[in-house]
Amino acid sequence: MTNPADKETFDFQTEVGRLLQIVTDSLYSNREVFLRELISNASDACDKLRHAALTAPSLTEDDPHFQITLTADTAAGTLSIADNGIGMNHDELLETLGTIAKSGVGSFLDKLANEDKDKISLIGQFGVGFYSAFMVAKRVDVLTRRAGEAESWLWQSDGKNQFTIEPARRDGRGTTVTLYLKDDAKEFLEDIRLRTVVKTYSDHIGFPIKLGADTLNEASALWTRPSRDISQDQYKEFYHHIAHAFDEPWLTVHNQVEGIVSYTNLLFVPSMRPFDLFDPERKSHVKLYVNRVFITEDTKGLLPPYLRFLRGVVDSEDLSLNVSREMLQTDPKLAKIRSSLTKKVLSELKKKAEADEDAFKDFWSNFGAVLKEGLVDDAGMRDRILELCRFSTTGGKEPTTLAAYVERMKDGQDAIFYMAGAETSKIAQSPHLEGYRAKGVEVLLFTDPVDEFWLRHVDAFGGKAFKSVTQGAAALDDIKGGEEAEKDNAPTADIGPLIAAVKTALGAAVKDVRASTRLKESPVCLIADEGDMDVNLERLLRQHGQVQSASARVLELNPDHAIIHKLSERAAREGAGSDALLDDAAHLLLDQARIADGDDPVDPAAFARRLAAVMAEAL
Ligand code: ADP
């Protein structure tokens, strides 16, 4: 361990420098939130020590009452926020107050740099925490001593590029953050201003916040109070504290549950998407308390990963305080809480969807892709999750539920048709949809990568199987309806000779060549054979290096298309394998189908040459 006797100077991590720049420049209008952030840190520090003292009671024996103390020194122009929480040692100080220990900071800052107006809400999603002190302070001192250790340390910075750490003296454990207020921030020395800010933002903090002899807050954990005594504003401020967020909670779920395992939950669904939602660790962000004592921030097993957008707390008296975090994860009581919470949250989401479909759409666009992971992970909740799912559809502008889709199905339609791809606007243009559109058959458009994965676990909804329009037979023959219905009964030209010629020309490049029933305007398309991997899934897996080579596809030809007619006549005259133009045309048809799917021609140079040859002949 480092134990330097003198003052050391460090550079902030580049990202911290950039963040500080943004914080000092753009959070101006709402800068009183710095106090909330610092009080929030102080409260977390007390929570951590209370937890540590469960197994090492000596840590708090000399000073058993946790509190947070504000001191304004008008003469010096300083405001300090002191706590008797866990404190920091030299290395912790260096690590936490010089870097940002969150993944994705770089890309977050890039995004922020390109955003003009909405910086504040973006920062809200990210949580600037401690660094918000520099909105109001020209210099910040942090004097701290880790509980159970003898040394104290002083951290100092003007928030520009560097900070220093030196040995210091502090009586007792904890942390004192002293702000040397900027000239235009002296209002935060005023008694009345401090009281108002604390009451507004930090009333729910479970430890007393003192100013002189007075306690400024209620100082009882918010979730322990009956919900009728809690205002929407109080819920919101608590959410901001617990989630380090700035947005409004989209949904608040507060319950006291009595049963085999009793617990209280106060959970929030954010109205904005947190920046680390797709972090591979899929961590939970709901804090677990046992009988008011904070245990962990990211308890595994408390909530399933597909509900990781939730923020808030769960507190239970029935879990044991004295087991390790690891043992807690396997406690069957925790599993009971999880299953009951999961059901509760899903049913609240359903209620909200029924009450306000528009608001639910906002939720769905933020978190739908995450929730759908539950279709894969949690067989027991599948039906409930399917009820909540919304999908884009060729049947209209608004996303639809599966139930509404099934309701609208045509006579003779026995499957839920879908097409999967990267973007709604692109797949909606796909040739594969032509035949379905002509018959007025709706197709769902799946654009979240996770869709491909849950489809492997969910065969059907309401007794109707899911069927990809890019795989297998088109299954359109038995379906009645559409303007084209009459025309469809007209005998289709025999393109047998062309099919034979194309097969000969393309050889192993295609799995088969067939006449299509799904095409109307386009001459060709590629589909996955029944039993083969669907086109979009294979594309996804290739992107992730999980499959190497592309499988051969079935090329479908539209018997009603002029090109196909002409070519077919020619094939009937010339026979397979003897005509250079037919050979070029076969390859061009394949390339054309690939291009319509957003892929490149098999061999771009050959494509250009063939195109020139065929055009020359035609002209
Ligand atoms: P966050 O609170 O989101 O982790 P902050 O920038 O606010 O981010 O704080 C960074 C870290 O610094 C905290 O996670 C904590 O480890 C440490 N820290 C900040 N304030 C205190 C404090 N008063 N007592 C102990 N540790 C603190």
Side-chain angles (χ1 to χ4, degrees):
M1 204 195 112
T2 342
N3 192 9
D6 299 319
K7 190 187 253 190
E8 302 168 286
T9 302
F10 302 93
D11 289 336
F12 280 118
Q13 184 195 21
T14 327
E15 286 81 5
V16 178
R18 289 176 66 191
L19 189 64
L20 281 169
Q21 190 74 47
I22 294 166
V23 165
T24 30
D25 291 352
S26 67
L27 278 183
Y28 223 60
S29 58
N30 205 18
R31 60 184 185 168
E32 73 227 30
V33 297
F34 82 90
L35 194 55
R36 172 191 78 188
E37 297 293 307
L38 297 179
I39 288 176
S40 196
N41 282 348
S43 159
D44 288 349
C46 294
D47 266 342
K48 282 183 200 159
L49 180 56
R50 188 158 59 180
H51 181 257
L54 292 176
T55 44
S58 63
L59 288 176
T60 51
E61 262 159 12
D62 57 329
D63 182 9
H65 301 293
F66 290 104
Q67 62 175 37
I68 299 162
T69 312
L70 307 184
T71 313
D73 182 335
T74 323
T78 60
L79 171 67
S80 63
I81 298 96
D83 65 68
N84 54 354
I86 191 126
M88 286 172 275
N89 61 28
H90 176 275
D91 291 2
E92 287 165 339
L93 203 48
L94 178 59
E95 221 170 89
T96 52
L97 298 189
T99 56
I100 304 179
K102 290 175 183 163
S103 54
V105 196
S107 58
F108 168 76
L109 288 168
D110 291 340
K111 193 170 156 208
L112 206 56
N114 296 326
E115 202 82 23
D116 293 333
K117 47 179 189 355
D118 221 17
K119 282 201 170 105
I120 182 141
S121 53
L122 275 175
I123 286 181
Q125 294 171 66
F126 187 73
V128 279
F130 172 78
Y131 302 107
S132 62
F134 289 101
M135 291 192 288
V136 294
K138 51 185 184 250
R139 175 182 142 199
V140 176
D141 289 2
V142 179
L143 176 63
T144 182
R145 179 165 154 194
R146 171 98 193 178
E149 294 186 15
E151 300 114 13
S152 309
W153 303 96
L154 177 63
W155 179 103
Q156 291 185 303
S157 178
D158 61 4
K160 300 235 161 68
N161 302 309
Q162 295 184 316
F163 61 93
T164 60
I165 297 180
E166 65 194 292
R169 273 207 46 153
R170 188 183 198 283
D171 295 330
R173 64 168 200 254
T175 302
T176 306
V177 178
T178 302
L179 311 177
Y180 292 78
L181 295 170
K182 293 179 181 171
D183 291 341
D184 62 1
K186 293 277 158 62
E187 65 195 84
F188 296 108
L189 295 171
E190 292 163 19
D191 192 84
I192 183 76
R193 184 86 170 103
L194 292 173
R195 283 171 195 270
T196 319
V197 175
V198 170
K199 201 71 194 160
T200 310
Y201 295 106
S202 307
D203 189 50
H204 54 78
I205 295 285
F207 304 100
I209 304 167
K210 301 250 181 188
L211 182 65
D214 297 345
T215 299
L216 305 185
N217 62 329
E218 190 85 15
S220 72
L222 188 82
W223 64 89
T224 62
R225 306 179 207 165
S227 56
R228 62 173 180 278
D229 295 348
I230 305 175
S231 72
Q232 288 311 313
D233 273 349
Q234 283 175 314
Y235 274 131
K236 182 175 89 182
E237 293 313 333
F238 180 75
Y239 162 66
H240 286 178
H241 158 71
I242 203 96
H244 298 280
F246 279 64
D247 58 334
E248 299 278 325
W250 180 83
L251 180 68
T252 303
V253 185
H254 185 190
N255 303 91
Q256 265 124 15
V257 179
E258 307 283 336
I260 311 166
V261 185
S262 301
Y263 64 89
T264 299
N265 64 266
L266 175 48
L267 300 176
F268 302 93
V269 178
S271 55
M272 286 190 323
R273 199 188 261 206
F275 74 101
D276 60 352
L277 195 60
F278 290 98
D279 204 78
E281 285 193 53
R282 305 203 293 162
K283 266 194 196 155
S284 155
H285 292 278
V286 171
K287 294 189 179 180
L288 179 67
Y289 283 70
V290 173
N291 207 4
R292 321 266 181 281
V293 178
F294 170 70
I295 307 294
T296 54
E297 174 103 51
D298 53 354
T299 321
K300 287 207 184 66
L302 175 60
L303 279 162
Y306 63 88
L307 294 180
R308 65 184 174 278
F309 50 82
L310 292 171
R311 299 293 187 265
V313 301
V314 173
D315 189 346
S316 174
E317 295 177 6
D318 293 336
L319 296 169
S320 168
L321 260 178
N322 296 313
V323 300
S324 71
R325 287 172 190 173
E326 289 68 31
M327 279 173 63
L328 197 61
Q329 288 164 17
T330 57
D331 188 334
K333 289 190 191 132
L334 195 72
K336 284 225 163 57
I337 296 180
R338 177 180 59 229
S339 100
S340 133
L341 274 178
T342 304
K343 279 184 203 137
K344 179 74 190 168
V345 169
L346 294 178
S347 87
E348 289 294 319
L349 288 173
K350 187 175 171 192
K351 264 196 224 156
K352 183 95 176 181
E354 283 162 1
D356 188 348
E357 179 66 28
D358 278 344
F360 188 75
K361 274 180 201 130
D362 296 337
F363 163 81
W364 187 256
S365 75
N366 282 332
F367 305 119
V370 175
L371 197 63
K372 281 187 283 188
E373 291 172 17
L375 296 172
V376 180
D377 292 352
D378 195 348
M381 296 293 152
R382 223 164 254 167
D383 291 341
R384 290 171 210 247
I385 299 173
L386 281 173
E387 282 182 0
L388 296 172
C389 287
R390 300 289 186 274
F391 297 104
S392 300
T393 166
T394 58
K397 282 201 167 53
E398 297 297 321
T400 181
T401 60
L402 291 171
Y405 176 95
V406 170
E407 190 90 343
R408 291 189 296 266
M409 278 171 47
K410 295 276 174 207
D411 280 351
Q413 179 180 351
D414 63 354
I416 299 173
F417 292 111
Y418 70 88
M419 172 151 186
E423 276 170 61
T424 313
S425 56
K426 278 204 185 129
I427 52 179
Q429 304 297 323
S430 166
H432 298 89
L433 298 173
E434 292 168 0
Y436 298 87
R437 197 173 287 130
K439 280 211 167 171
V441 174
E442 215 176 312
V443 178
L444 299 178
L445 304 174
F446 289 169
T447 48
D448 285 320
V450 65
D451 292 326
E452 292 287 5
F453 298 95
W454 67 257
L455 281 162
R456 293 168 163 196
H457 298 264
V458 182
D459 332 304
F461 176 86
K464 308 289 176 190
F466 288 94
K467 177 148 182 35
S468 167
V469 302
T470 58
Q471 182 172 39
L476 278 166
D477 292 347
D478 297 335
I479 304 175
K480 301 184 182 42
E483 309 144 15
E484 307 258 320
E486 292 307 307
K487 236 171 80 191
D488 273 354
N489 296 333
T492 302
D494 172 28
I495 57 166
L498 178 62
I499 289 177
V502 174
K503 272 188 190 163
T504 311
L506 297 180
V510 290
K511 188 163 181 191
D512 196 6
V513 182
R514 288 179 204 152
S516 182
T517 56
R518 79 189 83 214
L519 292 172
K520 290 293 155 195
E521 292 97 43
S522 303
V524 283
C525 71
L526 281 168
I527 58 151
D529 205 2
E530 204 84 59
D532 282 356
M533 195 183 285
D534 198 10
V535 182
N536 184 57
L537 176 59
E538 188 185 275
R539 192 177 295 135
L540 270 176
L541 293 177
R542 268 216 312 279
Q543 279 164 9
H544 289 91
Q546 294 188 18
V547 296
Q548 256 55 44
S549 57
S551 16
R553 296 303 183 193
V554 176
L555 183 67
E556 286 196 353
L557 308 180
N558 178 359
D560 297 324
H561 196 282
I563 301 185
I564 303 298
H565 270 205
K566 288 254 154 69
L567 286 171
S568 202
E569 284 165 22
R570 187 170 177 121
R573 278 199 315 272
E574 306 285 338
S578 53
D579 180 32
L581 183 124
L582 269 181
D583 185 75
D584 281 341
H587 285 92
L588 284 173
L589 288 174
L590 172 60
D591 282 338
Q592 187 177 354
R594 291 176 56 87
I595 291 168
D597 281 345
D599 292 325
D600 292 333
V602 179
D603 173 352
F607 170 74
R609 189 167 37 71
R610 289 193 173 108
L611 189 60
V614 171
M615 283 170 76
E617 180 104 357
L619 296 167

